[in-house]
Amino acid sequence: MAVFTGAGVAIVTPMKENFEVNYEKLDELLEEQIAGSTDAIIICGTTGESATLSEEEHMDVIKFAIDRVNKRIPVIAGTGSNSTATAMQLSAEAAELGADGVLLVTPYYNKATQNGMIRHYTAVAEAAKVPSILYNVPSRTGCGLSASTIAALVRDVPSIVGVKEASGNFSHIAELMNLTDGKIDLYSGNDDQIVPLLSLGGIGVISVLSNVAPKETHDIVDLYLSGRTKESCALQLKAIPLISALFSEVNPIPVKAALNMMGREVGPLRMPLSELEPAHKEVLKKELKAFGLL
């Protein structure tokens, strides 16, 4: 059984003006997401600025989300690292805290071989003991998982159940679904490609868009999976200008700006990320208004 089906939010980590994690605000965001029909919380992913959290903060934020959500919907912890030992430790701790699954980004910077990534993921998944979702995002990590590598991991490691695909390469995704005979939980990692990925057998999205439009993102998936594909496609296409604005600069710069515009007061970004450029801010504000969010 899949960890979740539908739209999971890759939720931001709100900060105070002194750059400490704002747990009071995170509590509010979690409640708003659940009320907005989000199907899962993905905590401490890229959008959550995990790269700038200390290991202690990382686990504190994961624990806070697990405790506050309290099994109402699944919580998936981002616990990947370019250090296998660190990823094993974070994943095991998250599982012990009650995470329903872990999201494991490819080991960035090291540029491991496919055999190296098989060894890495096998060790981490076995340490986690909860369902593991691979995260294939070569544009950010400098290395990508081949379709055959993903298929081998899903075949040989029982706890590896799915993949968040942000490669944007649909030939690769089609090959993956062929090699696994569709027996993999496939999630879109790109908000502008939800419907095309669902057409290849996907079951959901791990979404940045959900931070600002949880119900609409949920509906794109729900409509498609319930057979109302034209309505799903229409909603996907309606969201394209907003999605483009949310990726006008590297994630999570625009989405934090959007939430602040919407009065959510999620605070600043930790360096080395910088605030959204004024020209991009104007476009983002325009698209938020057009989508009925301002």
Side-chain angles (χ1 to χ4, degrees), residues 227-245:
R228 296 160 68 183
T229 54
K230 287 186 178 179
E231 292 171 69
S232 170
C233 185
L235 191 50
Q236 167 83 90
L237 294 176
K238 178 186 175 185
I240 292 296
L242 175 57
I243 293 166
S244 296

Side-chain angles (χ1 to χ4, degrees), residues 37 63 69 82 91 107 116 151 179 181 203 220 224 227 231 241 248 279 292:
S37 300
K63 183 180 188 304
V69 172
N82 65 334
S91 300
L179 290 174
D181 196 27
I203 62 169
I220 290 172
Y224 190 96
E231 292 171 69
S248 58

Side-chain angles (χ1 to χ4, degrees), residues 40-286:
I41 302 293
I42 292 77
I43 191 79
C44 289
T46 305
T47 314
E49 297 179 74
S50 58
T52 67
L53 298 175
S54 69
E55 285 185 28
E56 183 179 2
E57 287 176 316
H58 198 126
M59 297 316 303
D60 286 347
V61 172
I62 288 171
K63 183 180 188 304
F64 184 89
I66 291 168
D67 290 347
R68 285 299 193 273
V69 172
N70 194 25
K71 297 297 180 183
R72 286 175 287 172
I73 58 176
V75 174
I76 297 160
T79 53
S81 172
N82 65 334
S83 161
T84 302
T86 300
M88 290 171 68
Q89 176 191 334
L90 293 175
S91 300
E93 287 184 27
E96 199 170 302
L97 290 170
D100 298 284
V102 292
L103 179 67
L104 304 172
V105 70
T106 49
Y108 45 88
Y109 187 77
N110 297 329
K111 299 186 79 171
T113 65
Q114 296 299 304
N115 283 337
M117 285 195 278
I118 286 174
R119 293 181 64 196
H120 169 85
Y121 275 118
T122 301
V124 177
E126 288 177 350
K129 297 185 175 65
V130 293
S132 296
I133 299 171
L134 312 178
Y135 181 14
N136 189 33
V137 58
S139 65
R140 291 194 78 125
T141 63
C143 62
L145 286 162
S146 71
S148 59
T149 294
I150 298 170
L153 285 164
V154 170
R155 181 191 67 227
D156 296 338
V157 186
S159 61
I160 294 178
V161 298
V163 61
K164 175 185 176 182
E165 258 299 335
S167 66
N169 183 341
F170 280 93
S171 295
H172 155 81
I173 294 168
E175 180 187 5
L176 168 62
M177 297 307 278
N178 172 262
L179 290 174
T180 59
D181 196 27
K183 295 184 174 74
I184 183 172
D185 298 334
L186 175 66
Y187 300 97
S188 178
N190 295 324
D191 284 311
D192 60 346
Q193 298 178 343
I194 302 170
V195 168
L197 186 131
L198 293 175
S199 74
L200 288 173
I203 62 169
V205 60
I206 294 176
S207 170
V208 175
L209 176 65
S210 283
N211 280 281
V212 299
K215 181 65 166 60
E216 292 82 354
T217 314
H218 163 87
D219 286 351
I220 290 172
V221 181
D222 189 60
L223 287 167
Y224 190 96
L225 295 180
S226 63
R228 296 160 68 183
T229 54
K230 287 186 178 179
E231 292 171 69
S232 170
C233 185
L235 191 50
Q236 167 83 90
L237 294 176
K238 178 186 175 185
I240 292 296
L242 175 57
I243 293 166
S244 296
L246 287 170
F247 287 90
S248 58
E249 293 181 29
V250 70
N251 179 51
I253 292 173
V255 71
K256 267 199 151 177
L259 287 164
N260 283 329
M261 288 179 199
M262 294 167 66
R264 296 302 191 273
E265 299 176 357
V266 297
L269 298 135
R270 283 187 177 176
M271 289 193 291
L273 296 181
S274 55
E275 296 303 316
L276 190 65
E277 296 293 333
H280 294 149
K281 193 173 287 187
E282 286 306 310
V283 173
L284 179 57
K285 187 179 296 185
K286 171 178 169 286

